Amino acid sequence: MSAKSKAMVGLATGIGALALGVTSGTVVLANHFLEEFTRPHEVIDTEDFNLVLPVTGTEPPASLQRLVSFNTKDGAQLCGEFWAQPQPAPTIILCHGFRITRQHMRPVAALQYEFGYNVLLFDFRGHGESDSIATTGGKAEVKDLEAALVVARQQKETLPGKLIIHGFSMGAAIALLLPPQPDVAGIIADSPYAHLDDILRRLIRQYLTLGSDAWKPFFHKVRNLFPMIAWATVMTSTFVFRVRFGHALLAYPANSFRCWRNSHSLKHFPLAKYTPILLIHAEDDDLIPIAHARELAQQAQSQQIPIDTYFVNEGNHCGAYKSNPEEYITTLQKFLTKHLETQAA
């Protein structure tokens, strides 16, 4: 073999070894990331959850609170509680965010209850008191919300056709992923994502950046590769997740409105109207950028889905209430009053 041929073989072998190393490293990182992301019953430090919830509401007496337990279509058992008004009323279903529980939603529930609504609050799979099942951050949890709606309809205090979904972060994204429900009068979506893959890439880049802080300055140039590594890790993670659990990982609320239109055809829902949305977001959100909310609004408008936006200039993730509590509550109540009356008409 000539020297040139030997050099070519050596180069090919080196490239192959490098590719194998990079691939192996990506698979290792993907498995580690999936283990962390999907692990059930992890709870974040509440100080990291920037929603400052109202504390002025009063919970109903114990006689008007009752625990509920129910199953999803895929067999997950979920736990929650129903706060009943003394007389029939609209019911609000509260949807918590990723790695918090329904207990964090109690101040919101108390405020909504004071305004005269029944409230159903529950734990998504892998959260709180519900089954210890791998979480997906939205995709699988749609089944949880579907099951919660069935429970809300079954309560004797719920006025027919007067359901409202109020979600935060992951819970808001799940509400937008939900197939159309003709008896849902409105959706309040506070700080949802538009594409989960973008959020996961951001989380991986953040993880890699924090891990590289101790590196010597010479190696900091490797950080330029982090976006590519994050992309490859998410793609590998989706494949590994499907092999492991048998269903998809990634959710895309921004793409769901096209499905809404198809589902709301006269053939399927002759009397139904598009579900109106109140979309809430803070400009300074560094976990789910405001660009996600703007894309959701644009996609909804392109499909003629009625959507109102309440964007605040200050505040981090789920920080709109903290920015202006009085305006936040007023905006919610105007939306609820308008669309509950419309549903009745």
Side-chain angles (χ1 to χ4, degrees):
M1 183 181 294
S2 66
K4 183 177 180 181
S5 297
K6 290 180 179 179
M8 293 298 292
V9 170
L11 177 61
T13 302
I15 292 174
L18 178 61
L20 180 61
V22 171
T23 301
S24 300
T26 301
V27 171
V28 170
L29 182 59
N31 275 290
H32 175 73
F33 176 72
L34 273 181
E35 184 69 23
E36 294 296 318
F37 180 70
T38 65
R39 181 185 296 128
H41 297 302
E42 291 286 325
V43 180
I44 63 172
D45 187 337
T46 54
E47 292 183 359
D48 294 334
F49 189 65
N50 293 300
L51 173 67
V52 179
L53 299 170
V55 294
T56 56
T58 302
E59 294 188 9
S63 60
L64 293 174
Q65 298 185 36
R66 54 180 177 265
L67 297 177
V68 293
S69 178
F70 52 98
N71 293 324
T72 65
K73 290 180 179 178
D74 61 347
Q77 185 175 45
L78 308 181
C79 296
E81 52 200 283
F82 187 81
W83 296 3
Q85 292 290 338
Q87 62 286 321
T91 293
I92 292 180
I93 299 97
L94 286 178
C95 301
H96 63 75
F98 185 65
R99 288 190 170 164
I100 62 173
T101 71
R102 75 176 193 266
Q103 297 302 325
H104 295 87
M105 296 288 100
R106 296 184 80 89
V108 182
L111 181 68
Q112 299 287 27
Y113 188 84
E114 279 201 345
F115 279 105
Y117 304 107
N118 304 310
V119 182
L120 173 64
L121 53 166
F122 69 100
D123 293 316
F124 284 107
R125 63 184 63 201
H127 293 77
E129 297 178 346
S130 293
D131 269 356
S132 185
I133 298 175
T135 64
T136 67
K139 186 71 172 180
E141 288 78 3
V142 173
K143 296 183 180 68
D144 302 351
L145 181 52
E146 289 175 331
L149 283 166
V150 172
V151 172
R153 294 184 186 109
Q154 291 172 342
Q155 307 308 308
K156 62 181 184 296
E157 295 87 359
T158 296
L159 284 173
K162 294 206 172 183
L163 299 174
I164 294 286
I165 302 172
H166 187 180
F168 295 87
S169 191
M170 176 190 77
I174 294 167
L176 299 178
L177 288 164
L178 182 76
Q181 308 288 320
D183 57 352
V184 173
I187 294 172
I188 301 170
D190 191 324
S191 309
Y193 59 78
H195 302 280
L196 183 59
D197 56 343
D198 177 67
I199 303 305
L200 297 185
R201 287 193 294 268
R202 291 171 60 85
L203 291 174
I204 292 170
R205 289 199 301 270
Q206 182 182 43
Y207 169 79
L208 293 172
T209 300
L210 290 174
S212 67
D213 284 344
W215 293 359
K216 292 182 179 180
F218 175 79
F219 294 103
H220 284 181
K221 293 180 180 179
V222 177
R223 290 177 174 175
N224 295 329
L225 299 176
F226 286 175
M228 181 184 69
I229 294 172
W231 179 87
T233 301
V234 170
M235 292 299 98
T236 304
S237 296
T238 60
F239 174 77
V240 172
F241 185 89
R242 181 174 285 279
V243 170
R244 186 181 300 176
F245 296 103
H247 58 88
L249 171 67
L250 299 179
Y252 303 97
N255 298 341
S256 64
F257 301 122
R258 190 176 299 107
C259 299
W260 281 32
R261 282 186 61 85
N262 294 336
S263 296
H264 272 93
S265 66
L266 294 178
K267 178 180 178 181
H268 292 93
F269 297 111
L271 299 178
K273 300 177 181 178
Y274 299 135
T275 306
I277 301 166
L278 173 60
L279 181 61
I280 302 172
H281 220 100
E283 293 278 355
D284 296 332
D285 192 333
D286 60 0
L287 178 60
I288 300 179
I290 188 70
H292 280 247
R294 299 192 191 284
E295 181 178 356
L296 285 166
Q298 189 275 325
Q299 290 295 332
Q301 291 164 357
S302 72
Q303 298 298 324
Q304 299 179 334
I305 308 296
I307 187 166
D308 297 330
T309 58
Y310 174 53
F311 297 161
V312 299
N313 294 326
E314 299 177 356
N316 209 318
H317 187 54
C318 292
Y321 174 82
K322 180 180 179 180
S323 176
N324 191 326
E326 183 177 348
E327 186 176 70
Y328 184 96
I329 293 172
T330 299
T331 301
L332 261 62
Q333 292 308 314
K334 284 183 177 179
F335 176 82
L336 292 171
T337 300
K338 174 184 176 182
H339 293 294
L340 286 170
E341 288 177 354
T342 301
Q343 189 82 346

